[in-house]
Amino acid sequence: MMKGLKKWRLFSLLAVMTVFLSACGEEYITTLKPTGAVGKEQFNLLLFSIAIMALVTIVVSVLYLYAFMKARRSKLGEDYMPKQVEGSHTLEVIWTVIPIILLLILAVPTLISTYKFADVKAMDKVDEEGNKTALTVNVTAKLYWWEFEYPEQGIVTAQELVVPTDEKVYFNLKAADVKHSFWIPAVGGKMDTNVENVNKFYLEFGEESADLKDGVFYGKCAELCGPSHALMDFKVKAVDRNEFNDWVAAMQATEGATASAESTDLGEQTFANSCLMCHAVSGVGASGAMGPNLTTFGDRNRVAGVLEHSKESLEEWVKDPEAIKPGNLMTGKYGELSDEEISAVADYIMGLSIEE
């Protein structure tokens, strides 16, 4: 009996810890400390739903305890038979109508929010000169990385999304290979990226990310897509509008940049011969490259989305990407490089930067 009691105590402790620890998430990745109008409204809807369910639980528990205490055998006797209520139309109506009412109470705000967040008509609005007034980002999910294209600005980057704060940012979501799901937990709900169609929605970033851990919000793939699904991360830099405009201008200034196979720098030469066919070093150009755009690699937060941003991590990735992200498409592409060439190309890639 003591063993059973200990198990119940452990179960109760774990249940209590789950409730309290659920609020201990970091701001850069938790859904419980949202930033921006979308995330906050979705969080309020979550609290409203929990309140309705808690009310139902409390009422049912009170009724159960009331019946339990009132109908005790010690109080009413062994032969007491409570009134039989089977077939009562009144009770059947009550316990049919009440759940319907509760579902309607939940459904109305849920539907309103769903249609509100799906309204992307403003994405196509233009000013007097014919330029789109809203920022749009084309997101392409690939095994196991993310490409971000800014069509109106004519720039492309990867793995690190840069957005302005306090305005709606619209997203066109698609996948290049299998189904993925685009999710920035601290900013708003997730949405699938499909191969056969484009999904659209918007998010708002209510605060700059500079003060967060690592200076970024964390993004995730929320759809099981392969052996490295859990490692398909991306980061989000949220900055004010002026800083965003400066970033766009710096990206546009890289137009025409490339690596030369004739360079006297071993790193640049190696990159041109072995990497340039898949990885661009200019932020201006078409999307759809085989590998992530590396124009801003030196400014990023992580190597391959998950490793510490250092030369050593980059060398580790180039030498054996399969050991870090199983199933990635870069595996086996650089086996012919010597340690000297890997070190040199790592120096070159780490030096790719547009930030002062």
Side-chain angles (χ1 to χ4, degrees), residues 245-263:
N245 291 338
D246 292 341
W247 178 81
V248 170
M251 287 288 285
Q252 293 171 335
T254 66
E255 183 174 9
T258 188
S260 173
E262 307 301 322
S263 173

Side-chain angles (χ1 to χ4, degrees), residues 106-178:
L106 284 169
V108 171
T110 300
L111 287 173
I112 291 174
S113 295
T114 298
Y115 281 97
K116 176 182 177 181
F117 298 143
D119 182 6
V120 293
K121 294 190 292 292
M123 180 188 291
D124 298 318
K125 288 184 178 180
V126 296
D127 58 21
E128 296 178 352
E129 298 177 354
N131 298 316
K132 288 189 175 182
T133 57
L135 175 63
T136 300
V137 181
N138 295 335
V139 178
T140 304
K142 306 184 181 185
L143 294 171
Y144 295 95
W145 59 280
W146 300 84
E147 181 178 76
F148 305 113
E149 178 191 14
Y150 301 73
E152 300 307 309
Q153 290 73 27
I155 58 178
V156 179
T157 187
Q159 291 299 93
E160 204 155 273
L161 176 67
V162 180
V163 293
T165 56
D166 300 321
E167 63 181 80
K168 292 180 179 179
V169 180
Y170 293 86
F171 295 93
N172 291 314
L173 306 173
K174 64 179 181 179
D177 31 55
V178 300

